[in-house]
Amino acid sequence: RIGEGGVLETDLPAPGAPDSSLVLREPDLVTAQRVASAVNAAFGAGVARVRAPGTVALNPAVARFESTLEFLAAVDTLRVSSAEPARGG
């Protein structure tokens, strides 16, 4: 779970389907990196990568789950803390 939340975008599962993307509600590079690190720590290197400050690409095929939905349900259980907002000086 991400403190500020996010939206999961995915195509319907199909052979050779493209990656799914987790889109953060509050784009932030540090939070995106934390999400990718948590996913990779739980499911193996190369499963997640930061695509942009608000987007983390997920590759269910690398995680070797029986279905994309099973993988996405497992990702949903991960806990990730969002980055602290920058303080103006």
Side-chain angles (χ1 to χ4, degrees), residues 44-75:
V47 175
R49 64 180 171 79
V50 176
R51 188 178 290 163
T55 307
V56 178
L58 301 173
N59 187 347
V62 175
R64 303 196 193 286
F65 276 80
E66 288 188 30
S67 73
T68 300
L69 294 178
E70 182 183 341
F71 168 71
L72 297 177
V75 169

Side-chain angles (χ1 to χ4, degrees), residues 1-8 21-28 30-36 38-39 53-56 58 75-83:
R1 306 243 184 243
I2 302 169
E4 297 300 318
V7 176
L8 181 67
S21 295
L22 180 64
V23 180
L24 304 178
R25 290 187 196 273
E26 301 282 334
D28 178 79
V30 172
T31 302
Q33 289 174 330
R34 288 179 182 175
V35 169
V39 171
T55 307
V56 178
L58 301 173
V75 169
D76 186 51
T77 66
L78 298 177
R79 296 238 178 242
V80 178
S81 59
S82 57

